[in-house]
Amino acid sequence: MDKKVLLLGDSNSFMVGAIEKELIKARFKVTRAEIDEESIKAVGQLPELFIMYLEREFALNDDNLIYINNLLKDDMDRLLYLVGSDKEVNSLKPAIEDDLISGIFKRPINIKNLTVVLEEVMDKRSKIEEKKRILVCDDDGTMLRTMKSWLNEKYQVFMVNSGMSAITFLATNKVDLILLDYEMPVISGAKVYEMIKSEKDTANIPVMFLTAKSDKDSVMEVLSLNPKPEAYLLKSQSKEVVLSSINDFFEKQRREKFNELGKNLRT
């Protein structure tokens, strides 16, 4: 992932220039802009990482701050880090919502520390965005091949044809999602699910059930499992519907991780 950053602050500021130099040394691609709508719009394609340097001498316009707030709300993947005193940070309220601020660096600032934190942020984002690994477990070979062909372009797909094969695979392999057939011989999907959730190393792997049954009783049987599975996918559903369900799940998970990342890296 390219390490791109938008550095917002007074163009004449010595400290903004110093931050820019340190970021460039760390191989960030830095674009500078004033803290105003016109200057930011002139940038064109905006990166997902913003740093705003606040200075007591620099008066901020609420309309410009609201514009930045809306940019962050429109794309929740964007991260905003502030550099300034408590008073300067508080001066942004209520124009910029607290939840949209990923981190705060208090002045006087250690520029090297700021760079280290931002490198950590970008590294973790890169790992989050790596190709997700999906395990498909189904005793029907045709269904396995179908799911692989549907998912293979966007995801790493692994296939097993029994519950015990799934358990064996998971003992030595990590995955981000399991698509599990509910009706399987020997060991049912429900039993495999119970085994997965009972083991510390696999308990947190999300599971979506695959089933041919759409009647109310079958649906309620699956949804009554504890903990609840992530979804209940019908084998009769189209490729578009199945992909949409999986894509939406990972997108929601990605946003939650980015939000958590921002909270954990507040400084």
Side-chain angles (χ1 to χ4, degrees), residues 135-140 144 159-170 178-181 184-189 192 196:
L135 174 64
V136 185
C137 177
D138 198 305
D139 65 302
D140 183 342
L144 284 175
M159 302 182 295
V160 293
N161 61 6
S162 72
M164 281 314 300
S165 295
I167 298 300
T168 301
F169 178 89
L170 293 170
I178 300 169
L179 301 182
L180 180 61
D181 182 16
M184 288 190 294
V186 186
I187 303 177
S188 70
V192 176
I196 289 169

Side-chain angles (χ1 to χ4, degrees), residues 50-112:
F50 291 10
I51 303 172
M52 188 188 298
Y53 189 84
L54 306 172
E55 296 184 85
R56 61 182 63 86
E57 299 86 1
F58 191 75
L60 295 173
N61 180 294
D62 278 353
D63 289 340
N64 291 325
L65 296 178
I66 290 168
Y67 171 72
I68 293 169
N69 184 83
N70 290 337
L71 281 178
L72 298 166
K73 286 185 76 172
D74 289 344
D75 185 346
M76 296 298 288
D77 287 346
R78 289 193 174 119
L79 302 176
L80 171 65
Y81 284 83
L82 304 177
V83 180
S85 66
D86 288 337
K87 184 176 180 180
E88 289 157 353
V89 170
N90 288 332
S91 73
L92 302 184
K93 301 174 183 177
I96 294 183
E97 298 166 32
D98 278 349
D99 289 348
L100 299 176
I101 298 171
S102 301
I104 300 168
F105 295 88
K106 299 288 180 64
R107 203 170 48 235
I109 181 178
N110 182 323
I111 298 177
K112 287 188 182 296

